[in-house]
Amino acid sequence: MTKKTTLDLSWDEFDELRDPRPARQQFDEVVDRAISRRGFLGVLAVGSGAAVFGSALLGATSARAQAAAFKFEPVAAGTGFEIQVPKGYAWKPLVRWGDALVTEAKDSFSAETGVSLAMSDKVFGENTDGMELFEVAGKQVIAVNSEYVNPEINLPVEAEGTPRTAEEVQLLKNMQGVTVMEVADTGAGYGIVLDSPYNRRITNDTPMTLGGPVAGTDFVKTAADPDGRAVLGTLNNCGSGRTLWGTYLTCEENFNGYFGMTAEREQTPAEKRYGLKGESQYAYEKFDARFDLITNPNEPNRFGWVVEINPADPKSTPVKHTALGRFKHENAEMAQAKDGRIVVYLGDDERGEFIYRYVSNGTWAEGQPTEGLLSDGTLYVARFNDDMSGEWLALTPETTGMTLPELLVHARLAGTKVGATTMDRPEWIAAHPAKCEAYCALTNNSKRGGEAMPTNAANPREANEFGQIVRWRPEGEDHGADKFAWDLYVMAGNPNVHKDAFAGSPNVNAGNMFNSPDGMAFDSEGMLWIQTDGEDSNEGNFAGMGNNQMLVGNPETGEIARFLTAPNGAEVTGLCWSADKKVAFVGIQHPGGSWPDGNGKPRSSVIAVWREDMSTIG
Ligand code: FEO
Ligand code: CA
Ligand code: CA
């Protein structure tokens, strides 16, 4: 088998290969257990008002429901190197890897050699991911992550995918992080407003402030920053979020892959839990001592946080909010408790890791100061009980026996101490805009099962290749409540290949099959958009699913319909809408072939999708 690189895999998948979890110990009646769970879904569908979720999964009784209540005609599975959107819709790239933010960099991208070091902080980064659109002084400003780079694409062929000089490291550092850019419809569709004062690149080296309880503690002090309050850069920015006060939240995910060791030593237990190893993916440690665990063992403690960026102020310094915990953050979904406290739902994307919730001590209402709202509060971790109840377990010095800074830096260890439920890789969390409920995509978990990671009701299938979406409804319709009820909105699967639990829940059918749900966002009409990052071989267990895709789910009926398919090789990740909701902006990450240009290197891009009749799209 040929060696898999980040050209073949998403960064998530690559990190899994580098850092495998303990092997499954035994096969454990997977079919029986999961089928009984499907039975539970069926019960909910049949129940009237008595069931916890009432009308959940309607149409899921006997026949597998076909989507009916959508404004679009679902598209077929895609297998080629193109984008498919429904009849009556159109698309075009908004911005591609290497497109200019300023006039100086205009047309500087080369189909053969990519982006030059000189232009690398003046153009759109690679591998687009989470994004949000903000209205700032009448302008539309998008903040969007560049999760990682493909060194094979960015570096000269002779480098064979490993940087050889400090300059090559610098190029890779500059192609990642965050892009803030003004966009506008100039009459020929949406594009970047070149030279807008809002346009900004934030990279692996941009100065940031560390805020919250960990700032200034020994965990984060380094030789270069003896105060432990000033960090350079943000790493592996995956999902995103937005605050109620109009700032951007970018989430540091697989930061571990950027650190290495220039000499040998034993890893600490915390380093092991966080996947920190002897050699990095990008060889940063050979050219920048910050990334060498031998000389700077605390530097990784300065990553793995949620970072707040003000898109309205290009001179502002991003802040890393340590109160929200350190782990492999997917996204940050903000909601509000009934009493006005700020709630942030957070997933830790690794097999067997947890779902978290942060609750501020202070309250907020429109126009009030935001100081302290993301630095003074309590972090909780979720337990999903088999009886479909659940609770948020507070992580405090009393519950964990750890100091507050320690339990935030090593949140995974704290979560284990209080008995959190191991999940099938928590990806994006989306809170319903009109109802008090939240959804989390559990993308897949090949290692689920056996003693090391036994199945549980919310993660009921061993060797789970397909994934599921769990949702919870807080007690008293209050995101601030410590108890909730939960169910599974969908279990992905393949009903053509399987007749057991791997067929998926009844709202999965031959016309909407998918695997590995990842990105998720609600639109203004309360529909749930689901993006996938999974197996796109279209063979075996995945036959009929085709390429990665974006679907729309109706939370009331459980129906799901396929809206868009990506080019082969790509995942679909990142979604936001124009201010008038007539255009959806969709991220296409790590495409294959020469997409979208048709020649030269493949270019990760954000595309604009609209209805040809220019009515709203969400
Ligand atoms: Fe970068 Fe878990 O997705
Ligand atoms: Ca993701
Ligand atoms: Ca993923």
Side-chain angles (χ1 to χ4, degrees), residues 12 129 147 236 238 253-254 330 349 425 427 518 533:
D12 280 349
D129 211 309
E147 186 184 26
N236 209 259
C238 184
E253 193 187 24
N254 294 301
E330 187 67 26
D349 180 8
R425 296 189 47 202
E427 300 258 24
D518 187 336
D533 167 23

PDB file of all heavy atoms in Angstrom, residues 12 129 147 236 238 253-254 330 349 425 427 518 533, ligand 1:
ATOM      1  N   ASP A  12      -7.524  15.592  10.005  1.00  0.00           N
ATOM      2  CA  ASP A  12      -8.092  14.726  11.046  1.00  0.00           C
ATOM      3  C   ASP A  12      -7.677  13.284  10.848  1.00  0.00           C
ATOM      4  O   ASP A  12      -7.234  12.600  11.760  1.00  0.00           O
ATOM      5  CB  ASP A  12      -9.620  14.747  10.991  1.00  0.00           C
ATOM      6  CG  ASP A  12     -10.195  15.982  11.654  1.00  0.00           C
ATOM      7  OD1 ASP A  12      -9.440  16.693  12.315  1.00  0.00           O
ATOM      8  OD2 ASP A  12     -11.397  16.201  11.486  1.00  0.00           O
ATOM      9  N   ASP A 129     -11.455  26.162   6.176  1.00  0.00           N
ATOM     10  CA  ASP A 129     -12.286  25.409   7.130  1.00  0.00           C
ATOM     11  C   ASP A 129     -13.343  26.348   7.712  1.00  0.00           C
ATOM     12  O   ASP A 129     -13.956  27.102   6.970  1.00  0.00           O
ATOM     13  CB  ASP A 129     -11.397  24.734   8.188  1.00  0.00           C
ATOM     14  CG  ASP A 129     -12.024  23.431   8.685  1.00  0.00           C
ATOM     15  OD1 ASP A 129     -13.209  23.452   9.061  1.00  0.00           O
ATOM     16  OD2 ASP A 129     -11.337  22.387   8.713  1.00  0.00           O
ATOM     17  N   GLU A 147      -6.943  25.460   7.862  1.00  0.00           N
ATOM     18  CA  GLU A 147      -6.652  24.497   8.915  1.00  0.00           C
ATOM     19  C   GLU A 147      -5.217  23.978   8.898  1.00  0.00           C
ATOM     20  O   GLU A 147      -4.563  23.889   9.919  1.00  0.00           O
ATOM     21  CB  GLU A 147      -7.611  23.309   8.807  1.00  0.00           C
ATOM     22  CG  GLU A 147      -7.456  22.324   9.954  1.00  0.00           C
ATOM     23  CD  GLU A 147      -8.333  21.102   9.801  1.00  0.00           C
ATOM     24  OE1 GLU A 147      -8.681  20.737   8.668  1.00  0.00           O
ATOM     25  OE2 GLU A 147      -8.667  20.493  10.838  1.00  0.00           O
ATOM     26  N   ASN A 236      -3.527  25.023  13.428  1.00  0.00           N
ATOM     27  CA  ASN A 236      -4.513  24.010  13.034  1.00  0.00           C
ATOM     28  C   ASN A 236      -5.930  24.468  13.358  1.00  0.00           C
ATOM     29  O   ASN A 236      -6.683  23.805  14.065  1.00  0.00           O
ATOM     30  CB  ASN A 236      -4.192  22.661  13.707  1.00  0.00           C
ATOM     31  CG  ASN A 236      -4.676  21.496  12.862  1.00  0.00           C
ATOM     32  OD1 ASN A 236      -5.713  20.907  13.140  1.00  0.00           O
ATOM     33  ND2 ASN A 236      -3.952  21.167  11.823  1.00  0.00           N
ATOM     34  N   CYS A 238      -9.477  24.809  12.969  1.00  0.00           N
ATOM     35  CA  CYS A 238     -10.426  23.902  12.339  1.00  0.00           C
ATOM     36  C   CYS A 238     -11.806  24.557  12.260  1.00  0.00           C
ATOM     37  O   CYS A 238     -12.094  25.334  11.377  1.00  0.00           O
ATOM     38  CB  CYS A 238     -10.447  22.594  13.110  1.00  0.00           C
ATOM     39  SG  CYS A 238     -11.503  21.400  12.311  1.00  0.00           S
ATOM     40  N   GLU A 253      -7.177  22.859  16.676  1.00  0.00           N
ATOM     41  CA  GLU A 253      -7.477  21.431  16.782  1.00  0.00           C
ATOM     42  C   GLU A 253      -6.190  20.600  16.949  1.00  0.00           C
ATOM     43  O   GLU A 253      -5.651  20.522  18.053  1.00  0.00           O
ATOM     44  CB  GLU A 253      -8.315  20.976  15.579  1.00  0.00           C
ATOM     45  CG  GLU A 253      -8.936  19.578  15.781  1.00  0.00           C
ATOM     46  CD  GLU A 253      -9.633  19.040  14.548  1.00  0.00           C
ATOM     47  OE1 GLU A 253      -9.306  19.454  13.438  1.00  0.00           O
ATOM     48  OE2 GLU A 253     -10.513  18.150  14.703  1.00  0.00           O
ATOM     49  N   ASN A 254      -5.687  20.008  15.872  1.00  0.00           N
ATOM     50  CA  ASN A 254      -4.566  19.061  16.010  1.00  0.00           C
ATOM     51  C   ASN A 254      -3.212  19.776  16.092  1.00  0.00           C
ATOM     52  O   ASN A 254      -2.314  19.537  15.291  1.00  0.00           O
ATOM     53  CB  ASN A 254      -4.593  18.082  14.835  1.00  0.00           C
ATOM     54  CG  ASN A 254      -5.839  17.195  14.878  1.00  0.00           C
ATOM     55  OD1 ASN A 254      -6.054  16.472  15.846  1.00  0.00           O
ATOM     56  ND2 ASN A 254      -6.668  17.278  13.860  1.00  0.00           N
ATOM     57  N   GLU A 330     -12.870  21.439  17.994  1.00  0.00           N
ATOM     58  CA  GLU A 330     -13.507  21.466  16.678  1.00  0.00           C
ATOM     59  C   GLU A 330     -14.098  22.858  16.456  1.00  0.00           C
ATOM     60  O   GLU A 330     -13.466  23.699  15.881  1.00  0.00           O
ATOM     61  CB  GLU A 330     -14.582  20.376  16.585  1.00  0.00           C
ATOM     62  CG  GLU A 330     -15.156  20.238  15.183  1.00  0.00           C
ATOM     63  CD  GLU A 330     -14.178  19.715  14.160  1.00  0.00           C
ATOM     64  OE1 GLU A 330     -13.231  19.005  14.541  1.00  0.00           O
ATOM     65  OE2 GLU A 330     -14.357  20.002  12.961  1.00  0.00           O
ATOM     66  N   ASP A 349     -12.210  16.661  19.084  1.00  0.00           N
ATOM     67  CA  ASP A 349     -12.222  15.664  18.011  1.00  0.00           C
ATOM     68  C   ASP A 349     -11.070  14.671  18.109  1.00  0.00           C
ATOM     69  O   ASP A 349     -10.000  14.875  17.536  1.00  0.00           O
ATOM     70  CB  ASP A 349     -12.193  16.350  16.649  1.00  0.00           C
ATOM     71  CG  ASP A 349     -12.194  15.323  15.519  1.00  0.00           C
ATOM     72  OD1 ASP A 349     -12.371  14.115  15.801  1.00  0.00           O
ATOM     73  OD2 ASP A 349     -11.999  15.718  14.363  1.00  0.00           O
ATOM     74  N   ARG A 425     -15.578  10.771  18.324  1.00  0.00           N
ATOM     75  CA  ARG A 425     -14.946  11.933  17.690  1.00  0.00           C
ATOM     76  C   ARG A 425     -15.905  13.109  17.510  1.00  0.00           C
ATOM     77  O   ARG A 425     -16.432  13.329  16.410  1.00  0.00           O
ATOM     78  CB  ARG A 425     -14.317  11.550  16.344  1.00  0.00           C
ATOM     79  CG  ARG A 425     -13.185  10.545  16.467  1.00  0.00           C
ATOM     80  CD  ARG A 425     -12.456  10.354  15.160  1.00  0.00           C
ATOM     81  NE  ARG A 425     -12.146  11.639  14.569  1.00  0.00           N
ATOM     82  CZ  ARG A 425     -11.899  11.819  13.266  1.00  0.00           C
ATOM     83  NH1 ARG A 425     -11.923  10.782  12.445  1.00  0.00           N
ATOM     84  NH2 ARG A 425     -11.624  13.014  12.814  1.00  0.00           N
ATOM     85  N   GLU A 427     -17.235  16.351  16.418  1.00  0.00           N
ATOM     86  CA  GLU A 427     -16.869  17.420  15.479  1.00  0.00           C
ATOM     87  C   GLU A 427     -17.759  18.622  15.802  1.00  0.00           C
ATOM     88  O   GLU A 427     -17.919  18.962  16.964  1.00  0.00           O
ATOM     89  CB  GLU A 427     -17.032  16.914  14.038  1.00  0.00           C
ATOM     90  CG  GLU A 427     -16.134  15.701  13.740  1.00  0.00           C
ATOM     91  CD  GLU A 427     -14.884  16.014  12.940  1.00  0.00           C
ATOM     92  OE1 GLU A 427     -14.421  17.173  12.964  1.00  0.00           O
ATOM     93  OE2 GLU A 427     -14.353  15.096  12.302  1.00  0.00           O
ATOM     94  N   ASP A 518     -19.504  16.052   9.808  1.00  0.00           N
ATOM     95  CA  ASP A 518     -18.431  16.841  10.419  1.00  0.00           C
ATOM     96  C   ASP A 518     -18.917  18.270  10.641  1.00  0.00           C
ATOM     97  O   ASP A 518     -19.373  18.607  11.726  1.00  0.00           O
ATOM     98  CB  ASP A 518     -17.200  16.761   9.503  1.00  0.00           C
ATOM     99  CG  ASP A 518     -15.970  17.392  10.090  1.00  0.00           C
ATOM    100  OD1 ASP A 518     -16.105  18.275  10.952  1.00  0.00           O
ATOM    101  OD2 ASP A 518     -14.849  17.035   9.685  1.00  0.00           O
ATOM    102  N   ASP A 533     -16.848  14.689   5.909  1.00  0.00           N
ATOM    103  CA  ASP A 533     -15.395  14.539   5.741  1.00  0.00           C
ATOM    104  C   ASP A 533     -15.108  13.064   5.957  1.00  0.00           C
ATOM    105  O   ASP A 533     -14.713  12.642   7.034  1.00  0.00           O
ATOM    106  CB  ASP A 533     -14.648  15.381   6.773  1.00  0.00           C
ATOM    107  CG  ASP A 533     -13.175  15.028   6.839  1.00  0.00           C
ATOM    108  OD1 ASP A 533     -12.646  14.478   5.851  1.00  0.00           O
ATOM    109  OD2 ASP A 533     -12.557  15.287   7.886  1.00  0.00           O
TER     110      ASP A 533
HETATM  111 FE1  FEO B   1     -10.440  19.504  11.630  1.00  0.00          FE
HETATM  112 FE2  FEO B   1     -12.139  17.556  13.422  1.00  0.00          FE
HETATM  113  O1  FEO B   1     -11.950  18.512  11.979  1.00  0.00           O
END
